[in-house]
Amino acid sequence: MSSSVPTFAEMISKCTRSAVHLEMRDAYAVDYEKGPFADWKRGFRHDLADQASWWRPWLDLMQETASRGVVVRRARIVSEPVSQYTQFLYDGTFTNVVAGEQVRWLPRRRASDIALPGNDFWLFDERVVRWNHFAGDGTAGDKEVTEEPAAAKLCADAFEAVWSRAVPHDQYEIR
């Protein structure tokens, strides 16, 4: 990551109204042999009642952000039937919701006529875009930030179009 790009925590701490995140990949690079995804594949599932076992710094950040009145929304465009990785994300999304995020899912076939940016992104206060670049194998690449009005408008319009069609997390059924 370039040193000129602020950290995500720095960017969201300056956010005053809204932070939206659009995810469009069916898998992101993870360690398939160890870690949370491997544990999930072996049958581990978080227990809603045991918050201490799954709460993590990301959730602290989201809870703090939401408590400041910032509306945090995440939309995921997914292929169906979903990938194993998407199923893993779905099973753990209740943690994001508990922390204050609103999450929706949109089957990819229902997104065909939406003009989408070429990359996943975060959009802060409808004006600052943080692009998330990934390699073909799903590993994270450099981050890029722009305040270009046309890019912010593209992201805002795309996100709202996805959001309006997407299914709230508690209503989405994995296929």
Side-chain angles (χ1 to χ4, degrees), residues 30-119:
V30 296
D31 188 335
Y32 286 81
E33 303 301 319
K34 60 184 177 184
F37 185 57
D39 294 342
W40 177 86
K41 286 182 6 179
R42 287 190 292 275
F44 174 81
R45 299 297 183 268
H46 291 296
D47 177 358
L48 178 61
D50 185 14
Q51 185 171 335
S53 72
W54 49 262
W55 199 261
R56 57 194 188 279
W58 173 261
L59 300 173
D60 283 334
L61 182 59
M62 291 302 99
Q63 185 177 55
E64 185 277 325
T65 301
S67 73
R68 289 190 289 112
V70 175
V71 176
V72 181
R73 297 183 293 162
R74 177 188 304 260
R76 292 180 171 139
I77 299 174
V78 297
S79 299
E80 292 180 328
V82 300
S83 68
Q84 192 175 35
Y85 186 81
T86 298
Q87 178 72 54
F88 161 70
L89 287 177
Y90 178 84
D91 286 350
T93 294
F94 77 89
T95 66
N96 300 78
V97 173
V98 168
E101 288 186 49
Q102 299 174 38
V103 180
R104 291 188 181 182
W105 302 82
L106 182 64
R108 190 171 308 283
R109 70 180 172 277
R110 294 188 55 216
S112 296
D113 62 346
I114 298 173
L116 298 168
N119 295 288

Side-chain angles (χ1 to χ4, degrees), residues 1-12 14 124 128 130 143-145 147:
M1 179 163 90
S2 170
S3 60
S4 63
V5 174
T7 67
F8 180 84
E10 290 169 336
M11 293 185 75
I12 204 161
K14 295 176 183 172
F124 303 101
V128 180
R130 182 182 173 102
K143 306 297 186 243
E144 179 184 357
V145 173
E147 294 186 38

